[in-house]
Structures are given as C-alpha cells and as structure tokens.
C-alpha cells in the first residue's frame, strides 16, 4: 500500500457526492423563471385554464450554455448541414435552369389562344410575366371549362416555376458547373431552404434550449440516427428539468401533463415584480422601511421617559422607577413612589393604513393593453403590503358598469369588458330592483366610478384606523352611475353622472377617506377628464398622478410607501 492509499481510509471519497452529472443546469446555476411566463399569459388573456407541458416549455427561456452537451450536439448538426449546403452550391450552376424555365413559359404561352376581348390583356400579362394578371384573366373568362381557361392553368404553373428558379439563382451563390433541369432546380431549392430553416431553428435552440422548435422529422433527412437520438434524449432531459422547476416554484401538475398556478407561484411572481420596482428605487435612495414614531404602542423600547399624565402605567419601567424612589427617599420600608419617580418605556408603533384599489375594467381599458398594467400593479401592491405592512388592510374592487369586490386571486383573470354598443350617443337606464332585471343583460363596458367609490366606502368605514384611502386607477370620465336602484349609462359623459360621482367623493371625504387618482393616458383623453380628476382629488385632499401604463406599478408602489412614511412620521 502506497502512502496516498494509507492516507485515504475507506477508498476514494468523491467530491461531488450530491451532484448528478446527468442533471443540468448545474446546481450552482440560477433556476429558470417558470412562473412569470404563465402569469404574463394570464394577465394578457385572463385565461385561468391550465398550461400544458408544451405551452410551458415554449414559454421558458433556459441558459443553454449551462446545459452539458447541448452546445456540442447542436454545433455538430449545424456543421453537418453547412457542409451539405456547401457541397450543393459547389456542384451546380443555375443558368441552364433559368433558360429552360423561361423557354417553357414562352412555349406554353404560344399555345394559348385568348378570346379577342382578352387578347390585349393576355399579351400584356405574358410580356410582364405577371401571375396575378393571368389569374384575373382566368376569372374574367367566366367559364372554367373553356379552352382558354384550361390553357391558362399550366401557363401559370410554368410561370411559377420560372419565378422559383429565378429566386434560387438570386438567393444562393452557386459556384459549380453541373447543369440542372427545372425539376432538379426546384428540388435543390426546397432542400436548401429546408437546411436554412433547420440552421435557424438550431441557432434559436442553442440560445433558449427550446429543442421542441426543431423539426426533427426534417432533420432526420440529413442527420445520422444517432445524432437525432442524442438530441431527443437532451430534449427529454430538458422537459424533465422544467417540470421539476415548475413544481418547486409553485406550479401544480395534475398528472395529465397540465400545470396550474398555486398561491406559492403567485407570491413568487409578486416578489419578482417588487424586486424590479425596488431595484429602480435604489437610485433615488428612498428605501423600503419607514421609521416608527414614538407613542403608546405594543412594542416597548429600551429607552424611557418621565411619566406624563395620560401615559399608560402598563409600560412602566418598574426597576428604574423603584431605584428612583429609593434614591429620593433613601432605603426603608415601605417604599413610597411619587409620579416624579416613575419612568415609562417609550414604545414603537407603525400605524395601520386601509386602502381600496379601484381597478378600471371598462371597455376603453383594452386599448394599448392598459388592463395588463393595472393588474400587474394590483399584484405588486398586494405583494408589498403582505411583505412590508402585514397589518394594513387592502381590498380590490373591479370597476365597470357596476363595481365588484375582488380577491387578489381573481386579479390575474380580470379582463376589460367587451364593447357591445357602438352608437356615438347612448342614453340607457335600468331599474335593478325589477325582478326581471339582470346584470348579464346590461352592457358592462361603461365606467361607474360612483358605485366603485360607494363600495370602497363600505369597506373603509369599518376599518379601525384614521388612515384611509382610495386608489382610483382609470383613464377618463365616468359614464355610468346609480340613482337609487336605477343605473344610468350615459355616453358621451354627462354632467348628471359627474355630479353623482362627485357626491359620492364628498361622502368619502366626510368619512375621512382620501382619493388618490392615477390617470392613465388614453388616445381620447380630454381636458374635461383631467379637470374632473382634479376636482375629485381636491375634494378629498388627494392627488392626481399622470402616468404611462407601463410605469403604473412603480408609481403606485412608490406612492404607497411615501404615504406610509407620512403616516408614521406625521
């Protein structure tokens, strides 16, 4: 036994005890984001159906450079295809095929006898070599079985062959000397284009590790069976890896090849949005955590202060107070304590805030994908409050012709209401107390800010905090309102609707509710829209924030943090 064996008891202990070299990417590589593609799909389409394995694989982008053997395998296939392409180009020339295709078209044209009324147009179409003109003549003939119409069919085919041969000559640089017939030229063109398409697919697969985009059936015509089998094995490994990551990130498989979102996946997506938002905030040094204020609260601070009338004795520093009494009166029993001896622990408190977010899902929100930005903002704000301010109250309200409270789990599935009335002037009303009235029979694409504020007020008045706000996300004036049990749908926006909405805003102000309006840009936004938003915000001591849709999540989150700091430090 040599010295090295003597120093290695039990044989060789492998360094990579927990690393399976078959699995990839390596354990140190960051996992792919399998949640965001699915969530983005839901935000855009409101589709709550499960994702199939194929849909999930097509949506994921992997770092292909970290996948063992993927690069070398693809490079070998690319080199094989490029070599095949080089041999073809070095073998043939296209001049003879071009001449043959042109002659075949001219010969076919000479055999066609057009009617007198179409003779001039026919000669012009042949001279200009225009397939569209020849097809037009076919339909102008009006009789599919006439000799002229029947002769046009092969003529169009010959001209199509000439087009393709000319395209082959212009697209590829042939350097060989072997002449091609027209049929051979067409076969060569098809083969070269197939090679080009496969090369493009292989390049894309090398970037994204999406081997499913490769046409394996087409590739089999050029590659060796072993190459195809190796690539298919890699593809299966990648699919298994994606499934494993999907389950780790909260996508639940049903065993039948479909995945659905779980609350864990939703939390992960929210954290990714917030990470992006806060990475932008670092430049402005705003920070994430507000400072606590001094006052009576649940968490005691080591710092103390002299007792003042009104302080709660439950926060009294008993040892320090006893020491003060002994120092003042000297040792002895009983110890007599005066108010001047008492010290009170200072406390830290983060006041609670209550917020209702009104999400405009009226018909106009479909333009420029505004609804996607609104939903992404909602998920970001919910994630912020859950992680940073868990004591705060947050309620979402969907706003259209009516107003509906929505749980955060429903946000991703919300969609702008389809426009069902295209008249430039709409004057509709419906008494909802009528037993025969149904929301499903009423157009949903109007904007009822009044009903949304009323619904928000019901939630906020029950919250035990003076810090209440409504975050109104909309793109313009209200076009619907309630008067008693009757809903009015009025377009263009009517002063009657504005007055009803403003009355509800004043009721919010009376109950101490601030309305902050985030006014999204819209192609038909007018000066009246802006002025109405200002009037409503001023009536409740709120603000109007103008924002582009893609910046909405950042603006709302920043604004919420700023407000919380004001609450804490005020």
């Amino acid at each position: 036994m040599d010295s090295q064996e003597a120093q290695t008891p039990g044989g060789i202990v492998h360094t990579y005890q927990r690393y399976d070299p078959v699995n990839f990417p390596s354990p140190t590589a960051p996992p792919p984001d399998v949640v965001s593609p699915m969530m983005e799909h839901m935000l855009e389409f409101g589709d709550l159906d499960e994702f199939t394995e194929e849909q999930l694989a097509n949506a994921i982008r992997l770092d292909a450079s970290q996948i063992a053997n993927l690069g070398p395998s693809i490079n070998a296939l690319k080199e094989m295809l490029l070599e095949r392409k080089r041999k073809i180009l070095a073998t043939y020339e296209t001049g003879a095929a071009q001449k043959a295709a042109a002659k075949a078209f001219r010969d076919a044209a000479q055999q066609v006898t057009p009617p007198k009324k179409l003779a001039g147009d026919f000669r012009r179409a042949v001279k200009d070599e225009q397939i569209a003109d020849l097809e037009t003549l076919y339909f102008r003939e009006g009789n599919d079985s006439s000799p002229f119409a029947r002769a046009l069919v092969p003529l169009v085919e010959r001209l199509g062959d000439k087009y393709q041969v000319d395209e082959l000559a212009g697209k590829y640089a042939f350097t060989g000397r072997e002449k091609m017939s027209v049929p051979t030229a067409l076969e060569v063109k098809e083969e070269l284009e197939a090679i080009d398409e496969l090369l493009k697919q292989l390049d894309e697969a090398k970037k994204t590790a999406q081997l499913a985009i490769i046409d394996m059936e087409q590739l089999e015509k050029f590659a060796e069976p072993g190459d195809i089998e190796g690539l298919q094995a890699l593809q299966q490994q990648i699919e298994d890896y994606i499934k494993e990551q999907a389950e780790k990130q909260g996508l639940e498989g049903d065993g039948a090849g479909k995945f659905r979102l779980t609350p864990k996946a939703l939390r992960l997506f929210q954290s990714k949005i917030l990470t992006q938002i806060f990475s932008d905030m670092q430049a402005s040094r705003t920070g994430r955590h507000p400072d606590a204020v001094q006052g009576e609260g649940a968490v005691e601070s080591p710092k103390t202060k002299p007792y003042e009338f009104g302080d709660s004795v439950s926060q009294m520093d008993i040892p320090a107070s006893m020491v003060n009494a002994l120092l003042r009166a000297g040792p002895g029993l009983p110890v007599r304590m005066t108010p001047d001896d008492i010290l009170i622990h200072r406390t830290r408190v983060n006041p609670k805030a209550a917020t209702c977010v009104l999400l405009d899902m009226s018909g106009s929100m479909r333009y420029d994908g505004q609804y996607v930005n609104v939903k992404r903002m909602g998920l970001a704000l919910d994630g912020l409050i859950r992680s940073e301010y868990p004591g705060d109250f947050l309620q979402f309200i969907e706003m259209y012709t009516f107003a509906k409270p929505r749980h955060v789990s429903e946000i991703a599935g919300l969609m702008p209401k389809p426009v069902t009335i295209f008249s430039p002037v709409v004057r509709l009303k419906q008494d909802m107390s009528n037993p025969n009235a149904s929301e499903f029979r009423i157009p949903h694409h109007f904007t009822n800010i009044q009903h949304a504020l009323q619904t928000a007020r019901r939630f906020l008045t029950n919250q035990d905090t003076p810090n209440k706000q409504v975050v109104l996300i909309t793109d313009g004036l209200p076009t619907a309102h309630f008067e008693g049990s009757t809903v009015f749908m009025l377009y263009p926006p009517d002063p009657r609707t504005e007055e009803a909405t403003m009355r509800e805003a004043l009721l919010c102000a009376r109950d101490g509710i601030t309305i902050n309006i985030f006014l999204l840009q819209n192609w038909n936004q007018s000066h009246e829209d802006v002025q109405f938003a200002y009037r409503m915000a001023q009536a409740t001591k709120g603000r109007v924030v103008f924002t582009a849709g893609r910046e909405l999540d950042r603006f709302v989150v920043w604004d919420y943090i700023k407000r919380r700091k004001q609450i804490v430090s005020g």
Side-chain angles (χ1 to χ4, degrees):
M1 179 182 294
D2 60 26
S3 60
Q4 182 174 354
E5 290 178 344
Q7 295 174 3
T8 314
I12 298 175
V13 180
H14 290 279
T15 303
Y16 301 105
Q17 292 180 10
R18 299 182 60 84
Y19 174 58
D20 181 357
V22 175
N23 289 334
F24 53 91
S26 71
T28 59
D33 182 2
V34 300
V35 172
S36 294
M38 190 170 180
M39 282 299 306
E40 293 293 346
H41 175 87
M42 290 178 61
L43 290 176
E44 185 170 356
F45 299 105
D47 185 0
L48 296 177
D49 293 339
E50 298 91 345
F51 253 37
T52 65
E53 292 180 2
E54 182 179 359
Q55 287 175 308
L56 188 62
N58 289 338
I60 304 306
R61 294 293 185 270
L62 297 177
D63 185 353
S65 65
Q66 297 176 337
I67 298 177
N69 297 326
L70 178 60
S73 298
I74 289 180
N75 287 339
L77 290 169
K78 284 181 60 180
E79 189 56 40
M80 177 269 299
L81 291 172
L82 289 170
E83 179 61 24
R84 173 63 179 166
K85 183 176 179 180
R86 282 193 293 267
K87 287 182 178 179
I88 293 174
L89 296 177
T91 300
Y92 297 106
E93 63 88 28
T94 57
Q98 285 182 281
K99 292 178 182 178
K103 184 176 183 302
F105 172 64
R106 290 194 301 271
D107 292 345
Q110 290 176 0
Q111 296 175 8
V112 178
T113 304
K116 291 183 178 179
K117 63 178 182 178
L118 301 177
D121 292 337
F122 174 75
R123 286 192 295 271
R124 189 162 39 253
V126 170
K127 179 182 178 182
D128 295 341
E129 298 182 351
Q130 293 295 315
I131 288 181
D133 292 345
L134 292 175
E135 290 176 342
T136 300
L137 290 172
Y138 178 89
F139 291 109
R140 287 174 61 187
E141 172 65 5
N143 183 1
D144 295 349
S145 59
S146 71
F148 177 62
R150 289 160 58 188
L152 281 176
V153 174
L155 180 63
V156 169
E157 291 178 357
R158 299 292 79 76
L159 183 54
D161 292 344
K162 183 178 185 302
Y163 278 6
Q164 293 195 63
V165 174
D166 289 342
E167 182 184 358
L168 175 67
K171 188 175 182 180
Y172 299 99
F174 288 87
T175 59
R177 295 185 177 183
E178 184 175 331
K179 293 179 171 53
M180 291 186 290
S181 65
V182 172
T184 301
L186 297 180
E187 291 175 3
V188 168
K189 180 176 183 291
E190 182 179 355
E191 183 174 353
L192 289 174
E193 288 177 345
I195 290 174
D196 285 346
E197 181 62 26
L198 286 170
L199 289 170
K200 181 180 177 182
Q201 292 171 1
L202 290 170
D203 282 336
E204 184 65 21
K206 190 175 179 181
K207 293 177 184 176
T208 64
Q210 290 183 313
L211 300 187
I213 67 174
I214 300 175
D215 187 344
M216 295 294 184
E217 184 177 346
Q218 189 69 253
L219 189 59
E220 286 178 355
K221 298 177 182 179
F222 303 98
E224 296 295 329
D227 295 332
I228 299 297
E229 291 173 3
L231 205 60
Q232 289 174 336
L234 275 174
Q235 181 176 350
Q236 185 60 50
Q237 286 181 289
I238 292 172
E239 290 175 358
D240 293 342
Y241 175 70
I242 290 176
K243 288 185 206 175
E244 177 187 351
Q245 292 300 320
E247 293 173 359
K248 287 182 179 179
Q249 296 181 33
L251 298 185
E252 187 179 74
D254 63 357
K258 291 186 177 181
F259 293 88
R260 63 177 64 89
L261 286 166
T262 65
K264 178 182 177 181
L266 178 61
R267 300 285 91 79
L268 182 61
F269 181 68
Q270 289 176 316
S271 69
K272 290 181 182 296
I273 298 177
L274 290 174
T275 299
Q276 182 179 359
I277 291 173
F278 286 122
S279 66
D280 293 338
M281 292 179 67
Q282 289 176 0
S284 61
R285 301 292 190 269
T286 55
R288 294 183 66 167
H289 300 284
D291 297 327
V293 298
Q294 306 299 320
E296 185 175 337
V299 182
E300 291 184 350
S301 167
K303 296 180 180 180
T304 58
K305 69 181 184 70
Y307 171 79
E308 297 177 6
F309 180 76
D311 285 341
S312 174
V313 294
S314 63
Q315 271 81 45
M316 183 174 70
D317 186 343
I318 296 177
S321 300
M322 293 292 292
V323 169
N324 286 343
L326 290 171
L327 290 174
R328 178 183 54 79
L333 295 175
V335 177
R336 298 188 181 278
M337 187 178 296
T338 68
D340 293 337
D341 300 326
I342 299 175
L343 295 177
I344 299 294
H345 280 289
R346 294 184 182 273
T347 56
R348 300 173 64 84
V349 59
N350 289 320
K352 189 173 81 169
T355 303
C356 278
V357 182
L358 313 187
L359 308 172
D360 191 345
M361 286 292 144
S362 61
S364 60
M365 294 300 292
R366 69 189 187 278
Y367 296 114
D368 298 325
Q370 295 279 35
Y371 67 97
V372 176
N373 302 311
V374 170
K375 293 193 289 184
R376 185 180 289 110
M377 175 280 304
L379 294 176
L381 185 59
D382 178 77
L384 171 74
I385 291 176
R386 285 177 180 273
S387 60
E388 302 293 343
Y389 312 107
D392 285 4
F393 171 82
L394 177 65
Q395 176 65 50
F396 293 104
I397 297 173
E398 182 188 14
M399 180 174 68
Y400 52 107
T401 303
F402 302 96
K404 299 293 180 183
R406 297 297 184 187
H407 188 266
V408 65
S409 62
E410 300 177 278
I411 298 302
L414 299 180
M415 292 294 287
K417 307 309 176 190
V419 177
T420 56
I421 299 176
F422 299 94
S423 173
V425 178
V426 179
R427 292 292 183 267
L428 297 175
K429 66 177 180 179
Q430 175 64 57
D431 185 0
M432 299 306 297
S433 65
N434 187 331
N436 296 321
S438 171
E439 287 188 15
F440 298 103
R441 298 178 182 176
I442 295 174
H444 283 181
H445 59 270
F446 294 89
T447 307
N448 196 334
I449 298 177
Q450 177 232 20
H451 192 207
L453 290 175
Q454 186 181 70
T455 306
R457 187 161 57 88
R458 288 202 301 269
F459 279 102
L460 294 176
T461 51
N462 294 327
Q463 298 303 312
D464 184 19
T465 175
N467 309 306
K468 304 172 185 177
Q469 71 165 336
V470 165
V471 175
L472 171 59
I473 316 292
T474 187
D475 62 348
L477 289 170
T479 53
H481 72 281
F482 271 93
E483 293 183 10
S485 60
T486 300
V487 59
F488 288 82
M489 293 152 280
L490 308 175
Y491 185 85
D494 190 273
R496 190 172 178 179
T497 301
E498 295 182 27
E499 291 170 5
T501 305
M502 189 59 68
R503 284 196 298 271
E504 188 60 44
L506 293 173
L507 290 175
C508 289
R510 184 197 63 183
D511 292 344
I513 300 170
T514 300
I515 300 177
N516 291 322
I517 303 172
F518 289 81
L519 196 59
L520 299 173
Q521 295 178 356
N522 198 334
W523 64 272
N524 64 346
Q525 199 169 80
S526 66
H527 178 71
E528 287 74 16
D529 295 330
V530 176
Q531 291 303 310
F532 177 75
Y534 271 123
R535 290 198 302 273
M536 184 186 302
Q538 289 172 356
T540 62
K541 298 181 180 179
R543 288 164 295 106
V544 180
V545 179
F546 298 91
T547 174
R550 287 184 295 274
E551 299 292 323
L552 178 63
D553 52 0
R554 182 166 60 91
F555 275 116
V556 173
V557 167
W558 287 16
D559 187 76
Y560 192 88
I561 293 174
K562 182 179 178 181
R563 175 174 168 80
R564 290 295 277 107
K565 287 185 174 183
Q566 290 173 344
I567 291 172
V568 170
S569 61

